[in-house]
Amino acid sequence: MFHIKTFNAIAPEGMNRFDKENYAINESENPDGIILRSQKLHDYDFPISVVAVARAGAGTNNVPVAKCTENGIVVFNTPGANANAVKELVLASLLLSVRPILKGAQWVQTLTGADVEEQAEANKKQFAGHELEGKKLGVIGLGAIGAMIANDAYRLGMEVVGYDPYVSVDTAWSISRRVHRANELAEVLTTCDFVTIHVPLTDQTKGMIGKAELAKMKKTAKLFNFARGGIVDDAAVLEALTADELAGYTTDFADEKLLHHEKVLVLPHLGASTEEAEVNCAKMAARTLKRFLEEGTIKRSVNFPTVEMAFHSPYRITIINKNIPNMLGQISSTIAEMNINIDNMVNRGRDDYAYTLVDIACDNEANAQAVATRLEENPDIIRVRVIKNPGGSY
């Protein structure tokens, strides 16, 4: 029986993936896995029982990833599950930035009298606005969200420039050939009429758009931040807007100092808040966590490498260890010393840590646990788990 602890309300379409025969939800203070949305875990005292955290969303800045890594806790996220929701909100915000639709709608509500239609026709020019077609959009970050925005903005008739030095092969295949790839951030900032940001918040991206970057932008340009609040220096933005060195700013992250500014549109973090996005994130998070607990498979982790292997043996040993030379040799030798054969084995490293799956020809759970106990004696091994093949496919 696996125990799952939830923070926040997780869509039932996701939680229903945990069958009642094998999973108990919120029945133990020593869970095997945690699934959450926006709850901050930086002050959470993780029980030693926790082996994985699944974030139903793309960002993991509310999870102490480094601390989890050191303790052998795998952190998962759900990249792409909410991409369409964010994409649609960005496109809507682009349209709102050039057409004063909201002001026009609010103004109409103030009209009175039998000639409302005539009043509207006579005064509508003040809400004329502009068109996006033919304008240039810069997309910083070409992950799942950025790639979708780039493609759809092109279909709206915009000229699109994308910048992402770390774009993946899969994403590269999904981006239209008509989207120009910039080699430097400066190319996006200096040439685009609109700039939208879609990168994760890291030590490298914090304050990525500050005073120096804003100074490179056109005075008529408008900036959009639907990624994370800390990526943009809001104080620098306000300074640029006041000096007429930037035409507008739209953000999905509320900050008191941004409110009531005529050139700023602040949204209440609506990006991934559609019902569909919440369901998609919950389903992906639950599926990823379930596979890890039952098979040891790692996919979509932010702190450990992707590791998958068909499970045909009676038992599987999962090992999180320091990524140092001869670890595979030490693991293999330890298992061999216990007179147990290795059926299959895969190892992948990521930065200072590595993850190994070892399928062993052992039909006795006590012997499998004995192997784990011996491996745990190695000071460079962080965590060891034994998984029994639930399907008996061996």
Side-chain angles (χ1 to χ4, degrees), residues 150-165:
N151 288 339
D152 283 6
Y154 169 77
R155 297 185 184 104
L156 288 175
M158 301 187 76
E159 182 181 350
V160 184
V161 178
Y163 171 75
D164 191 336

Side-chain angles (χ1 to χ4, degrees), residues 1-6 10-25 33-36 54 282-294:
M1 177 70 72
F2 293 109
H3 286 272
I4 305 296
K5 181 177 179 61
T6 65
I10 308 299
E13 290 87 345
M15 297 308 298
N16 289 341
R17 292 177 177 267
F18 297 113
D19 54 283
K20 295 180 180 179
E21 293 77 15
N22 297 301
Y23 290 88
I25 310 299
I34 293 173
I35 185 167
L36 77 160
K283 289 165 67 175
M284 183 181 290
R287 183 170 59 248
T288 303
L289 181 57
K290 192 170 185 286
R291 286 194 66 195
F292 177 71
L293 292 175
E294 296 180 4

